[in-house]
């Protein structure tokens, strides 16, 4: 791929606190790109900030947003060789983010998706920082469908908070699915089954982390469990995801015990809330609609 065209997609909703810093960091990028903001009818200065950076802006009703469908719509509007996705609060650590992120796609015909390293925001506590440390190591990596036995569900790990795809490959699999969450996981699973590979670009770094309450953790994992049951491709390929979760919890408890032993009870409760959310979500289709809407973090999804 010789000098591919590159499009950057950022879905936004009231992003004035972070968007200017994000776009300002990228304005000195060594590679050219086009920016498209898909804004869910923000009522702050998001749109004016985007336009001040010469970004293209499409405004949609909040109820029309969908993690998969909105990103699929955006890439079709751009029609570039490579499409990069960032979230509004994923702040590049330097201007080389896009160049480092798309490099694996340019140097290899087999690699069709790459994702960057996420580090916790400055001042993040252990529960905010540890997931980033666990899932985003310092070493770069390339994975294929042949690695399922070694990595299990992590084979398909990717985050559209900072990821790049070859548009032609997404076309082959029909693009992103209309799902409540995990659109990146399902796209990667489809791509790897086609014989392609995924790259983890450890030198493409964004600052991106969240501090969730126990209820928010439950809701997030309810959504994950629900969408995994609704789209069983991951289970068919690797079985249930609990083994990855068990490894995460064991490592978290060890870390907390070493650094903040008084927080062990909270670590146990938080882990239990995630597991309960996932398991209830996995069987969520049998629940009445009002209950699914209450337990989900994405209330708009249920109408």
């Amino acid at each position: 791929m010789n000098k591919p065209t590159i499009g950057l997609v950022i879905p936004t909703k009231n992003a004035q606190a972070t968007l200017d810093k994000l776009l300002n960091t990228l304005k000195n990028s060594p590679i050219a790109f086009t920016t498209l903001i898909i804004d869910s009818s923000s009522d702050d200065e998001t749109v004016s900030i985007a336009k001040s950076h010469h970004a293209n802006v499409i405004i949609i009703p909040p109820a029309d947003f969908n993690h998969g469908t909105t990103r699929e719509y955006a890439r079709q509007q751009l029609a570039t060789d490579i499409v990069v996705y960032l979230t509004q609060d994923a702040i590049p650590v330097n201007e080389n983010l896009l160049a480092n992120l798309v490099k694996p796609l340019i140097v290899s015909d087999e690699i069709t998706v790459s994702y960057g390293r996420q580090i916790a925001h400055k001042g993040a506590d252990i529960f905010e920082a540890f997931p980033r440390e666990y899932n985003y190591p310092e070493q770069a990596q390339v994975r294929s469908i042949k690695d399922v036995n070694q990595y299990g569900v992590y084979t398909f790990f990717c985050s559209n908070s900072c990821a790049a795809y070859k548009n032609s490959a997404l076309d082959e699999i029909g693009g992103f699915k209309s799902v409540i969450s995990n659109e990146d996981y399902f796209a990667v699973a489809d791509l790897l089954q086609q014989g392609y590979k995924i790259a983890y670009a450890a030198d493409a770094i964004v600052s991106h982390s969240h501090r969730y309450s126990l209820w928010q953790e439950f809701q997030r994992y309810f959504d994950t469990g629900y969408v995994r049951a609704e789209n069983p491709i991951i289970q068919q390929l690797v079985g249930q995801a609990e083994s990855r979760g068990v490894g995460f919890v064991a490592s978290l408890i060890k870390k907390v015990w070493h650094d903040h032993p008084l927080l062990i009870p909270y670590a146990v409760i938080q882990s239990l809330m995630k597991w309960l959310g996932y398991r209830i979500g996995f069987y969520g289709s049998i629940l009445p609609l009002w209950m699914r809407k209450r337990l989900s973090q994405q209330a708009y999804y249920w109408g």
Side-chain angles (χ1 to χ4, degrees):
M1 189 180 290
N2 186 27
K3 290 187 178 179
T5 55
I6 297 169
L8 170 63
V9 174
I10 307 175
T12 58
K13 172 68 175 180
N14 294 338
Q16 68 177 21
T18 56
L19 188 61
D20 187 63
K21 183 177 182 180
L22 190 165
L23 295 175
N24 230 11
T25 304
L26 294 178
K27 71 180 182 180
N28 294 319
S29 174
I31 60 173
F33 63 96
T34 301
T35 302
L36 174 59
I37 303 292
I38 303 290
D39 184 72
S40 295
S41 302
S42 293
D43 55 16
D44 63 1
E45 298 303 312
T46 296
V47 171
S48 60
I49 291 171
K51 290 182 177 178
S52 73
H53 286 275
H54 309 291
N56 300 310
V57 179
I58 297 176
I59 299 175
I60 62 174
D64 286 355
F65 177 81
N66 174 275
H67 282 284
T69 304
T70 301
R71 288 179 169 88
E72 177 64 16
Y73 169 74
R75 80 175 184 91
Q76 292 180 7
Q77 301 310 301
L78 283 169
T80 49
D81 296 319
I82 292 174
V83 58
V84 175
Y85 294 98
L86 293 177
T87 49
Q88 64 188 44
D89 56 348
I91 310 301
V93 300
N94 58 48
E95 67 274 12
N96 294 316
L97 173 73
L98 298 183
N100 292 341
L101 186 61
V102 304
K103 183 179 179 180
L105 308 184
I106 296 173
V107 301
S108 171
D109 292 334
E110 293 182 302
I111 297 173
T112 56
V113 52
S114 64
Y115 66 101
R117 183 184 177 199
Q118 298 183 29
I119 60 175
H121 292 305
K122 186 176 181 180
D125 67 22
I126 190 169
F127 296 103
E128 188 176 347
F130 182 76
R132 297 298 181 257
E133 297 171 9
Y134 187 81
N135 290 317
Y136 300 95
E138 296 181 2
Q139 299 77 28
Q141 188 181 61
V142 175
R143 302 189 298 270
S144 73
I145 195 69
K146 296 178 181 178
D147 295 311
V148 163
N149 289 336
Q150 180 178 358
Y151 294 113
V153 70
Y154 187 71
T155 308
F156 314 107
F157 182 78
C158 180
S159 172
N160 275 348
S161 289
C162 180
Y165 299 79
K166 288 179 181 174
N167 253 322
S168 58
L170 284 175
D171 287 339
E172 288 184 36
I173 63 169
F176 291 109
K177 300 178 186 296
S178 177
V179 289
I180 191 171
S181 66
N182 283 222
E183 80 289 342
D184 35 26
Y185 266 87
F186 298 120
V188 171
D190 287 343
L191 289 169
L192 267 57
Q193 286 186 99
Q194 294 297 315
Y196 294 121
K197 296 180 180 180
I198 179 173
Y200 167 51
D203 57 352
I205 307 173
V206 294
S207 176
H208 179 241
S209 59
H210 297 279
R211 182 68 167 99
Y212 294 112
S213 68
L214 292 175
W215 177 241
Q216 288 172 322
E217 294 285 15
F218 177 94
Q219 289 180 304
R220 289 177 63 239
Y221 279 81
F222 175 89
D223 290 341
T224 298
Y226 188 90
V227 75
R228 294 284 178 86
E230 194 176 40
N231 300 270
I233 182 174
I234 301 295
Q235 293 85 258
Q236 292 169 359
L237 291 170
V238 301
Q240 290 290 355
E242 274 88 344
S243 59
R244 174 76 180 177
V246 168
F248 175 88
V249 172
S251 297
L252 173 64
I253 297 297
K254 181 178 180 180
K255 176 75 171 178
V256 174
W257 177 258
H258 182 270
D259 293 352
H260 304 281
L262 293 179
L263 294 178
I264 286 292
Y266 185 88
V268 172
I269 294 171
Q270 184 198 63
S271 300
L272 180 61
M273 289 295 284
K274 290 180 178 180
W275 181 81
L276 284 173
Y278 182 86
R279 296 311 298 171
I280 293 173
F282 195 81
Y283 297 102
S285 61
I286 66 175
L287 300 175
L289 179 60
W290 68 265
M291 186 176 292
R292 280 179 272 167
K293 188 173 183 177
R294 179 70 182 92
L295 298 179
S296 170
Q297 196 176 44
Q298 316 288 345
Y300 66 87
Y301 178 80
W302 309 97

